[in-house]
């Protein structure tokens, strides 16, 4: 293989005129982190609501959650982002579509919301499974004490269900970070995008993607460590993972 | 206090779990419900505070119709204590927090007030030293005593017990029964599903025997243990009293 390794490339000025190649990658890293965090918040909020609906006895609630979950988890993420970014503005009335297209930072918002909704379906299914794994008597005990359904979920079911699903939730958080890279296809220049830009400007493809890989790894190690810490601090003495 | 009249309940279209059940529990009365498993005794007691819906008949609790859609069920349930076979303490809350939750969220008591009440009841069931532990750190008998204290913290007008000692090791049964006997002697209105015939003969006023969803026998204690009229009750008694 005839390849010119150049690890100093990171400290050479990039052609955009704003700092070095490393600065380029770091700006991509920040955008990845921002997108992932917003997407994760959206995933948690919508996932919790839909997960609760999925666990209710009401037919209407389970129908709504069924449609939501199957819509968002059965379509490839890439297709969903295209749908929100390219198709949705065309389907809307002309003025609304135009407004959407001219939105500043449209790729960022589309990516965060698109990835967030995609992940929310997965969070919903896990939360519903967590709630279902609790003894039936827990809900009955809460009800028998006079707690309303809302209070029962808020004070009894959800605190336990979230503790139980913490390990798979960690995986979903990691997936959220990684899935933001798909947003390169709608023009979001996040970490993967900047790595590609660096490759195109400098032809140092291996260095660029090595750096990007290490940066993704670093974010996810932080996420894993953080979630572990959270899991430990929420552990209940004498119960499942508790000590 | 509790008026049950002509209650019919079906699971699905064809399986009838309760067949025309009619009985009542007067204020200060202790009624033991017994019968073979699957006879509908737990279902009947859960109908009293509307944990289980039923299709026909009516139940009136302290003058309030349970199966009236206009009844404020959480409010009604808060006035009836319930103790479950598997304790159903909330595992993520400390013992004292288990006792305070519904006092604060349902009855609107201040935290200090709830803690004071909780402490008093824990002392009464002999578990004051465990107030800051988690449920999983207690033995089964201790957990069940906490569950009784939790129900009593709501100042109930009646107590429902659903096989409170069935999940306990033999040596822990008496510590729970002692608490229940004390309660009965204080004049608490109690409806108790249990196989503990010793308890029944000691404190019950009346014994109801159920089989296949029907109330087969509803008799004063002395009559029931002296000469049960139905063959099925005689058979049941001979089986559980022979050892």
């Amino acid at each position: 293989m005839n390849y010119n390794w150049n690890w100093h490339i990171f400290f050479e000025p990039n052609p955009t005129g704003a700092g070095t190649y490393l600065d380029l990658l770091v700006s991509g890293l920040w955008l990845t982190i921002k997108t992932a965090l917003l997407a994760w918040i959206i995933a948690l909020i919508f996932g919790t609501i839909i997960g609760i609906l999925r666990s209710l006895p009401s037919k209407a609630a389970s129908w709504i959650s069924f449609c939501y979950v199957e819509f968002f988890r059965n379509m490839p993420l890439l297709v969903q982002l295209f749908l929100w970014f390219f198709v949705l503005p065309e389907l809307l009335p002309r003025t609304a579509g135009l407004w959407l297209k001219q939105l500043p930072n449209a790729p960022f918002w589309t990516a965060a919301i698109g990835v967030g909704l995609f992940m929310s379906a997965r969070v919903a299914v896990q939360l519903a499974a967590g709630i279902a794994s609790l003894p039936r008597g827990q809900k009955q005990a809460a009800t028998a004490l006079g707690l309303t359904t809302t209070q029962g979920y808020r004070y009894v079911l959800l605190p336990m269900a979230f503790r139980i699903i913490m390990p798979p939730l960690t995986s979903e958080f990691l997936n959220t970070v990684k899935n933001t890279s798909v947003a390169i296809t709608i023009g979001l220049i996040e970490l993967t995008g900047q790595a590609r830009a660096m490759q195109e400007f400098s032809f140092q493809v291996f260095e660029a993607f090595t750096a990007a890989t290490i940066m993704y790894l670093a974010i996810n190690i932080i996420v894993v460590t953080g979630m572990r810490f959270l899991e430990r601090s929420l552990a209940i003495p004498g119960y499942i993972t508790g000590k | 206090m509790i008026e049950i009249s002509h209650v019919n309940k079906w699971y699905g279209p064809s399986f009838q779990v309760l067949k025309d059940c009619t009985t009542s529990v007067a204020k200060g009365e202790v009624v033991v419900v017994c019968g073979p498993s699957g006879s509908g005794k737990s279902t009947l007691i859960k109908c009293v505070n509307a944990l289980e819906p039923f299709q026909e008949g009516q139940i009136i609790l302290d003058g309030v119709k349970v199966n009236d859609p206009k009844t404020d069920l959480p409010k009604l349930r808060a006035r009836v204590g319930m103790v479950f076979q598997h304790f159903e303490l909330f595992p993520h809350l400390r013992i004292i927090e288990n006792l305070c939750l519904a006092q604060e969220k349902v009855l609107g008591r201040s935290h200090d007030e709830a803690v004071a009440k909780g402490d008093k009841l824990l002392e009464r069931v002999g578990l004051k030293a465990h107030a800051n532990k988690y449920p999983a750190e207690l033995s089964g008998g201790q957990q069940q005593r906490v569950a009784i204290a939790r129900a009593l913290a709501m100042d109930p007008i009646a107590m429902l017990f659903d096989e409170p000692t069935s999940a306990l090791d033999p040596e822990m049964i008496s510590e729970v029964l002692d608490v229940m006997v004390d309660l009965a002697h204080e004049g608490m209105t109690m409806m108790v599903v249990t196989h503990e015939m010793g308890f029944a003969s000691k404190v019950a006023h009346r014994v109801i025997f159920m089989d296949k969803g029907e109330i087969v026998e509803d008799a004063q204690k002395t009559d029931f243990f002296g000469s049960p009229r139905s063959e099925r009750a005689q058979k049941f008694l001979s089986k559980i009293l022979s050892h």
Side-chain angles (χ1 to χ4, degrees):
Chain A
M1 192 174 71
N2 200 358
Y3 184 77
N4 236 336
W5 289 95
N6 176 14
W7 290 105
H8 296 290
I9 184 77
F10 298 114
F11 306 104
E12 289 168 20
N14 70 54
T16 64
T20 61
Y21 276 108
L22 186 64
D23 294 330
L24 210 62
L25 290 177
V26 168
S27 78
L29 175 68
W30 281 124
L31 196 52
T32 289
I33 291 173
K34 273 199 293 194
T35 315
L37 279 182
L38 184 57
W40 184 236
I41 290 167
I42 292 169
L44 280 182
I45 293 171
F46 283 83
T48 304
I49 296 169
I50 299 299
I52 289 170
L53 287 182
R54 205 173 157 89
S55 72
L56 288 173
S58 142
K59 281 244 164 64
S62 61
W63 178 241
I64 293 170
S65 58
F66 171 81
C67 293
Y68 182 97
V69 166
E70 301 311 331
F71 179 84
F72 284 108
R73 77 171 169 183
N74 288 337
M75 224 190 309
L77 177 58
L78 183 66
V79 175
Q80 290 192 28
L81 288 189
F82 280 6
L83 203 65
W84 304 138
F85 196 70
F86 299 115
V87 182
L88 184 67
E90 306 301 329
L91 292 178
L92 291 172
R94 230 184 96 75
T95 43
L98 209 62
W99 173 82
L100 207 60
K101 281 189 228 174
Q102 290 166 345
L103 217 59
N105 288 332
F108 169 73
W109 295 109
T110 311
I113 295 170
V115 174
L117 294 179
F118 176 76
M119 297 308 296
S120 73
R122 305 173 56 98
V123 172
V125 173
Q126 282 168 8
L127 181 61
I131 293 170
S133 76
L134 300 173
R136 245 169 65 87
Q138 287 283 300
K139 192 174 188 175
Q140 290 190 338
T143 310
L145 280 166
L147 296 170
T148 60
T149 304
T150 314
Q151 289 174 323
Y153 272 89
R154 162 74 182 78
Y155 299 113
V156 177
L157 300 181
L158 290 182
M160 280 314 293
F162 270 115
R163 281 177 169 88
I164 290 169
I165 63 167
M166 203 65 100
L169 268 192
T170 305
S171 302
E172 295 308 337
F173 196 173
L174 300 177
N175 281 339
T176 307
V177 174
K178 291 179 286 183
N179 281 343
T180 56
S181 64
V182 176
I184 188 179
T185 55
I186 56 169
L188 186 72
I189 311 298
E190 37 65 82
L191 183 50
T192 308
Q194 293 291 20
R196 271 194 59 178
M198 177 172 165
Q199 169 209 340
E200 274 159 21
F201 291 140
S202 69
F203 303 108
Q204 303 299 136
V205 56
F206 290 107
E207 289 86 342
F209 279 95
T210 303
T213 305
I214 290 171
M215 284 176 179
Y216 275 118
L217 221 73
I219 307 177
N220 278 349
I221 286 170
I222 292 169
V223 169
V224 169
T225 315
M227 289 296 277
R228 259 288 165 72
F229 184 76
L230 190 65
E231 220 175 296
R232 288 231 178 109
S233 67
L234 290 175
I236 297 159
Y239 197 89
I240 343 178
T241 53
K243 290 195 185 76
Chain B
M1 176 73 65
I2 304 170
E3 297 286 340
I4 301 171
S5 46
H6 305 291
V7 168
N8 282 296
K9 177 177 169 67
W10 287 266
Y11 281 131
S14 57
F15 182 63
Q16 192 170 4
V17 266
L18 294 177
K19 292 176 193 154
D20 198 34
C21 294
T22 300
T23 188
S24 65
V25 182
K27 192 171 185 328
E29 201 176 20
V30 177
V31 173
V32 163
V33 184
C34 62
S37 54
S39 60
K41 44 196 192 321
S42 287
T43 309
L44 180 68
I45 203 174
K46 281 177 179 165
C47 284
V48 172
N49 62 351
L51 281 187
E52 291 275 0
F54 52 93
Q55 286 82 22
E56 282 173 14
Q58 67 169 8
I59 295 179
I60 293 175
L61 190 63
D62 195 31
V64 183
K65 196 173 161 194
V66 174
N67 53 323
D68 184 340
K70 284 187 291 253
T71 301
D72 183 351
L73 281 178
K75 203 173 150 195
L76 184 68
R77 290 184 182 119
R79 300 175 62 208
V80 188
M82 182 144 199
V83 176
F84 296 84
Q85 181 175 2
H86 296 287
F87 333 132
E88 305 302 349
L89 296 179
F90 306 136
H92 61 294
L93 298 178
R94 291 172 194 277
I95 298 304
I96 188 70
E97 293 167 337
N98 262 279
L99 269 72
C100 289
L101 178 66
Q103 289 191 67
E104 291 171 35
K105 305 300 175 195
V106 178
L107 301 180
R109 288 181 185 155
S110 73
H111 184 64
D112 292 344
E113 218 180 327
V115 170
K117 177 101 191 166
D119 272 341
K120 223 166 70 192
L121 284 163
L122 281 180
E123 187 153 22
R124 173 186 171 153
V125 298
L127 295 168
K128 192 151 189 245
H130 301 283
N132 284 316
K133 288 191 179 168
Y134 286 89
E137 297 175 292
L138 267 54
S139 73
Q142 291 173 325
Q143 289 191 49
Q144 194 62 300
R145 278 144 68 198
V146 172
I148 295 173
R150 180 175 71 177
L152 291 175
M154 304 296 282
D155 292 321
I157 54 169
M159 288 281 285
L160 307 173
F161 292 84
D162 183 12
E163 304 207 27
T165 56
S166 300
L168 294 175
D169 288 340
E171 73 265 33
M172 293 174 184
I173 290 177
S174 68
E175 65 185 60
V176 172
L177 289 179
D178 286 345
V179 174
M180 291 169 63
V181 169
D182 285 348
L183 259 182
H185 286 155
E186 280 168 30
M188 174 62 80
T189 308
M190 291 162 71
M191 194 167 172
V192 186
V193 173
T194 186
H195 294 128
E196 295 297 332
M197 288 301 128
F199 171 80
S201 64
K202 194 149 121 205
V203 297
H205 298 104
R206 269 174 41 235
V207 179
I208 292 172
F209 175 75
M210 288 185 75
D211 192 20
K212 299 193 179 110
E214 277 176 286
I215 294 182
V216 178
E217 192 131 354
D218 185 345
Q220 294 299 313
K221 171 179 65 184
T222 44
D223 294 342
F224 183 79
F225 288 111
S227 53
R229 279 155 289 182
S230 73
E231 198 186 320
R232 277 186 281 182
Q234 281 175 13
K235 228 174 174 179
F236 177 76
L237 277 181
S238 71
K239 270 185 195 151
I240 60 169
L241 293 178
S242 63
H243 296 289

